Amino acid sequence: MDFDELVANGKIKRIFRAKNKITIPDIVSHITQRAAGKELLFVEESDYLFMLAQLKEIAKKRSLDIYPFCLMPNHIHLLASPREDELQEPMRDLFSRYAMHFNRKYMRKGHLFGGPYRQAVCLDDAYLLAASLYIHMNPVRAGLVEDPRDFRWSSVRLFCDQDAPTSFLKSGFILGLLSNDPKISKEVYLEMLVRSVKIEIGDSLEQGDSIERFKKTLCRLFPSIFSDVGNRKHIAERTGISLLDEEEVEKRFAADALPERVRGKRFLIQQLIA
């Protein structure tokens, strides 16, 4: 089955991959990478700074847009999209540069990362917003801080602070889902972030549906916000791929009077998502 074709034609919403990455221009992906075993990726402050410098340089030199990120002690989260038909090349540059630097600095040999980076494509706006909040909530879930804004090695303040400095990150693409007014969008994002602290969040590195479940909880907490987000169609306009969200799919299921047809459709969708 040609999954790239299925994604390009809007037949599936998400697919998790470690190999044979999807590189379709403008497709937003949740990229995760982790250390081998229980080793650390970042030992001291200069390690974080080196990774941030590489991230900035590669984003500028390559055709890559980066949205939120979070550098955890032993893993990395970021949302990114290629402007051209390349994703593996800039990601390879980023992780290989860092691994070479880390091994040289700490006089170690062998693989730093626990395999190829993982990719999960984001093809609906609600999932994109939930993924961004999830990324910024990682330090809280890990017990590193109580307030996500206190974690230094993420992009959270660019999404919340009214006086945030100009950055190479494209925070406006996600904040624009909340309001056309940058001030209001940051206020809303901050409110969602603060209330997200109380939500039980799974581990996306171990559970492929953790962000989906997180999104459903957010939709219940902020129904009017997600209703508005669903009408904006940022990803659909950017990629030309327009998909129904899960709530609309459920409504269409409910309108079908034949239970066997509902079960058949639901099974087919589950298989495509899997």
Side-chain angles (χ1 to χ4, degrees):
M1 183 179 293
D2 190 338
F3 287 105
D4 287 12
E5 184 177 345
L6 287 174
V7 171
N9 293 330
K11 301 299 183 183
I12 54 177
K13 296 173 72 171
R14 268 174 295 289
I15 177 172
F16 293 85
R17 278 193 168 176
K19 297 181 179 180
N20 302 321
K21 301 300 188 293
I22 293 172
T23 62
I24 301 169
D26 296 323
I27 291 289
V28 181
S29 295
H30 180 192
I31 304 295
T32 54
Q33 180 59 286
R34 68 187 309 167
K38 295 183 179 180
E39 291 192 43
L40 292 175
L41 287 181
F42 306 102
V43 177
E44 56 186 23
E45 180 179 291
S46 62
D47 298 332
Y48 289 99
L49 292 173
F50 183 84
M51 173 61 82
L52 289 176
Q54 300 311 305
L55 197 61
K56 180 178 181 180
E57 181 179 348
I58 287 171
K60 287 187 173 183
K61 290 187 176 181
R62 294 281 192 173
S63 59
L64 191 69
D65 289 336
I66 299 176
Y67 309 105
F69 71 84
C70 185
L71 307 181
M72 298 290 286
N74 70 338
H75 65 276
I76 297 167
H77 288 271
L78 61 93
L79 290 179
S81 62
R83 293 189 297 275
E84 298 177 5
D85 187 12
E86 65 168 10
L87 179 65
Q88 290 171 286
E89 292 82 358
M91 289 296 98
R92 182 186 62 233
D93 285 355
L94 175 66
F95 296 130
S96 63
R97 285 186 193 182
Y98 185 78
M100 290 174 62
H101 163 80
F102 190 91
N103 283 353
R104 184 168 56 248
K105 178 179 178 180
Y106 294 106
M107 296 182 288
R108 67 182 298 280
K109 294 182 180 181
H111 295 292
L112 175 62
F113 298 108
Y117 67 89
R118 291 184 63 194
Q119 172 194 29
V121 298
C122 307
L123 290 179
D124 64 282
D125 292 338
Y127 185 91
L128 181 65
L129 177 58
S132 180
L133 289 163
Y134 175 92
I135 287 172
H136 287 144
M137 286 298 300
N138 254 257
V140 176
R141 188 184 65 79
L144 298 177
V145 293
E146 293 184 0
D147 186 331
R149 291 170 294 175
D150 292 336
F151 189 69
R152 182 179 178 188
W153 309 111
S154 84
S155 57
V156 64
R157 291 193 171 276
L158 294 174
F159 286 72
C160 298
D161 290 1
Q162 298 295 339
D163 59 350
T166 301
S167 170
F168 69 96
L169 298 180
K170 308 293 184 180
S171 58
F173 180 67
I174 291 174
L175 290 173
L177 293 170
L178 301 172
S179 173
N180 294 326
D181 184 327
K183 182 176 184 296
I184 294 175
S185 65
K186 288 189 175 184
E187 290 174 352
V188 175
Y189 193 92
L190 177 57
E191 178 189 358
M192 297 181 75
L193 194 68
V194 170
R195 293 183 65 182
S196 295
V197 171
K198 299 180 180 180
I199 300 175
E200 186 70 27
I201 303 176
D203 185 351
S204 68
L205 293 173
E206 303 295 340
Q207 302 166 309
D209 65 342
S210 59
I211 296 180
E212 192 68 52
R213 289 186 282 108
F214 179 53
K215 186 199 78 171
K216 290 180 178 179
T217 304
L218 290 173
C219 287
R220 291 194 295 270
L221 285 175
F222 306 99
S224 60
I225 291 176
F226 276 89
S227 176
D228 184 51
V229 168
N231 293 327
R232 288 186 177 267
K233 307 294 183 184
H234 277 200
I235 288 182
E237 292 176 0
R238 181 181 181 132
T239 64
I241 300 173
S242 182
L243 301 172
L244 295 176
D245 60 27
E246 290 194 21
E247 288 72 23
E248 184 62 29
V249 170
E250 290 295 334
K251 289 179 183 178
R252 297 198 179 194
F253 279 153
D256 197 322
L258 298 175
E260 63 273 14
R261 289 179 59 184
V262 172
R263 287 194 296 270
K265 290 178 182 178
R266 196 185 300 272
F267 176 76
L268 177 59
I269 289 174
Q270 288 172 345
Q271 292 303 303
L272 288 172
I273 291 175

